[in-house]
Amino acid sequence: MPTYVALLSWTDQGARNYKDTAKRAESFGSAVNKLGAEILSIYWTIGPYDLVTVLEAPDDETATAALVQLGGVGNVRSTTLRAFDREEMERIIAKAAG
């Protein structure tokens, strides 16, 4: 399944409700599972992003749906990156090389 890295920043609402962040992460995991995707890891971080989430989803639409749902709750904003593992990158290089 494709892998996605989501860089999450708390909104003012999310920062005010920081005590609930672990519960919110659990709820997000359940919502993602219902869409047929899976959270591989969630990290709380220091720096420009408050959390980093790695998830797998069957396609871009499913990953986007999960993150749109998450953003709709109002606690975070996300920047999402499609990540490629070594095998995927080797296939991409083979296509590019012709």
Side-chain angles (χ1 to χ4, degrees):
M1 258 199 288
T3 302
Y4 303 85
V5 177
L7 307 173
L8 306 173
S9 298
W10 281 338
T11 61
D12 289 342
Q13 173 183 305
R16 278 192 307 273
N17 297 315
Y18 70 91
K19 291 179 182 179
D20 296 331
T21 188
K23 290 179 187 176
R24 292 193 312 251
E26 189 175 317
S27 294
F28 176 53
S30 296
V32 165
N33 288 340
K34 287 179 184 175
L35 292 172
E38 180 182 1
I39 300 291
L40 300 180
S41 56
I42 296 179
Y43 300 99
W44 284 261
T45 57
I46 301 170
Y49 299 100
D50 299 303
L51 298 102
V52 175
T53 301
V54 180
L55 63 120
E56 287 184 337
D59 50 50
D60 291 347
E61 292 83 7
T62 303
T64 302
L67 291 158
V68 166
Q69 280 183 351
L70 177 65
V73 176
N75 291 307
V76 294
R77 289 186 183 83
S78 66
T79 300
T80 306
L81 310 165
R82 169 62 167 92
F84 299 92
D85 65 21
R86 182 183 179 129
E87 289 177 8
E88 290 170 313
M89 196 62 213
E90 287 175 350
R91 288 193 303 270
I92 290 167
I93 291 168
K95 283 184 182 183

